[in-house]
Every structure is written in C-alpha cells, then in structure tokens.
Amino acid sequence: MATKKDLVRELRLNKRLTQEEVAAKMRISQGSYSAIERGQKPRAVDEALATINRMRTRTDRTDGGAEKTGRLKN
C-alpha cells in the first residue's frame, strides 16, 4: 500500500512537475520539499498534496521529465 509521501511523489510526476516548481509554490526550498517526499517531514505531506492538486499539469517539459537529483553524471 502506498504511503502519503509516495502519493505526493507520484502525483507530482504524473503532473510532470519538478520538485523545484512545487517547492516554489509552497515557498520552501527544493531541499525541504525533497525531505517531504522522503518522509522526513510528515506534517508537511498534506500541504504538499494540496499544493500539487492545485497546480496545472506541465506540458512544456523539454527534458522528458527527468529529475534533477543534484548528483554529478559520470
């Protein structure tokens, strides 16, 4: 069974939104938003779900929906 944090990530990806976009709408850093998706800020999950539900689906993505992880490529 999916947890709320899993639903947040799944909904965000289905809408083709980046963590940066949702974080900006929530007025938090991308790192703080990432912590929500990792389950480290359980009190913020409901706010994240509500925010994503209010956001429109992105259709102008040019990166194929690839996530920015902050990791360097080899």
Side-chain angles (χ1 to χ4, degrees):
M1 186 165 123
T3 63
K4 275 191 174 182
K5 72 176 182 71
D6 297 328
L7 293 175
V8 168
R9 183 173 193 276
E10 183 177 326
L11 179 60
R12 177 180 61 78
L13 292 174
N14 285 342
K15 287 193 165 204
R16 300 184 66 157
L17 299 166
T18 65
Q19 288 186 349
E20 291 87 356
E21 290 169 324
V22 179
K25 196 67 145 174
M26 293 178 71
R27 297 180 184 201
I28 62 174
S29 70
Q30 181 275 326
S32 290
Y33 179 81
S34 178
I36 294 170
E37 286 193 1
R38 289 192 313 270
Q40 296 174 338
K41 295 189 176 202
R43 289 185 229 149
V45 170
D46 289 329
E47 181 183 353
L49 282 171
T51 299
I52 295 168
N53 276 319
R54 288 190 303 266
M55 294 176 75
R56 290 185 154 189
T57 300
R58 286 264 325 239
T59 57
D60 60 342
R61 293 288 296 270
T62 59
D63 65 356
E67 281 294 313
K68 293 180 182 178
T69 61
R71 297 184 191 133
L72 297 175
K73 293 182 179 179
N74 291 335

